[in-house]
Amino acid sequence: MGPPLDLGCGAAPVLVFEFRPIAFGKLAVEVCVVGDDNIGIGDEGRDRDGAYANLVLPRLLERSDLTPADRHFVTELVYGTTRMRRACDSAVEPYVLRPLDPPTRAALRIGAYQLLVLGTPAHAAVGETAGAVPPRTRGLVNAVLRRLAGTPPMWPDEATRLSYPDWIVARLEHDLGPDTARAALATMNRPPPVTERADGYVQDLASQWVAEAVEAGPGHRALDTCAAPGGKATALAAALAGTGSGSGQGGAAPRSEEHTSELQSRGLISY
């Protein structure tokens, strides 16, 4: 039996691998509900100690003995449920008649994400998610997810359906028009393809385009005020070609540390 593996998402602790086999469709993952003393992913994908999902999950996967296929599935569950948290909460809310403890809320999010986004067969998404929670809440999780599986959600608005803050949807609809804005938001909900820069750094194209748009060059001064984990900052620093100056500020401590580590690993300076 391996160490617990966090499956956190949203605003609460979620599911943790305790290496107890539970099948999700054709895949086998091992899950149990996280205890309050375990690490769990919180608001904006952070755990309660301030770490982010993209920092916590890889370390925990490295400690697990999951197959590559199961690691991919776990990653999809963690990031996908975090990304679609608002929609998942809205979808189950009509069937919840009492306050939920964090693990139960988290399990419902995981189940809702499988039903609404992944298209997991209902018998697998419902049965196995219910089987992963303690007996005291198993009936509730089973009942709520079965209702959701049989009744398409009635979304209160597009922001909820797409799982974005109201102001982002309003701003894009104003700038782009409703149809174009919603198409763009739907696209941004899909994981981007893996791409590499010329120097081998893995970074999505959108981030690469941001660095290119700055048009930094030798002798320039560049400041990245949202620099973590440091991908765009390293691209800007490389464009300076050893001349000029560059600075990156990462905000929250865990991401600032990641940013500093990335710059140092490439022989660059962070200040």
Side-chain angles (χ1 to χ4, degrees), residues 114-125:
Q114 292 179 84
L115 290 170
L116 300 177
V117 180
L118 297 184
T120 304
H123 69 275

Side-chain angles (χ1 to χ4, degrees), residues 6 8 10-14 34-43 45-52 56 102-103 254:
D6 185 24
V14 186
V34 64
D36 288 340
D37 57 339
N38 290 105
I39 193 168
I41 304 301
D43 289 333
R46 303 181 201 179
D47 68 30
R48 289 194 299 274
D49 294 324
Y52 289 76
V56 175

Side-chain angles (χ1 to χ4, degrees), residues 12 15 35 71 82 88 163 195 225 227 241 250 260:
L15 301 176
R71 291 186 183 206
T82 300
C88 291
S163 204
T195 55
T225 59
T260 301

Side-chain angles (χ1 to χ4, degrees), residues 126-143:
V126 176
E128 305 306 343
T129 301
V133 300
R136 63 184 176 80
T137 57
R138 191 167 297 157
L140 184 150
V141 170
N142 182 77

Side-chain angles (χ1 to χ4, degrees), residues 3-10 12-17 34 37-64 66 71 74-75 78-79 82 229 253-255 257-258:
L5 178 61
D6 185 24
L7 237 182
C9 68
V14 186
L15 301 176
V16 169
F17 282 96
V34 64
D37 57 339
N38 290 105
I39 193 168
I41 304 301
D43 289 333
E44 300 178 359
R46 303 181 201 179
D47 68 30
R48 289 194 299 274
D49 294 324
Y52 289 76
N54 69 309
L55 303 182
V56 175
L57 182 62
R59 294 197 298 265
L60 294 172
L61 287 176
E62 288 176 1
R63 287 166 27 203
S64 77
L66 297 177
R71 291 186 183 206
V74 171
T75 300
V78 173
Y79 294 158
T82 300
R255 293 183 68 81
E257 293 169 3
E258 184 185 19

Side-chain angles (χ1 to χ4, degrees), residues 80-94 116-117 153-170 173 182 185 189:
T81 307
T82 300
R83 185 170 57 246
M84 300 302 294
R85 181 181 66 182
R86 183 179 184 183
C88 291
D89 282 350
S90 176
V92 302
E93 204 63 40
L116 300 177
V117 180
M154 298 292 292
W155 304 112
D157 49 56
E158 284 298 282
T160 301
R161 180 181 73 84
L162 293 166
S163 204
Y164 286 93
D166 293 344
W167 71 268
I168 290 180
V169 176
E173 287 183 346
R182 292 169 189 176
L185 291 165
N189 273 334

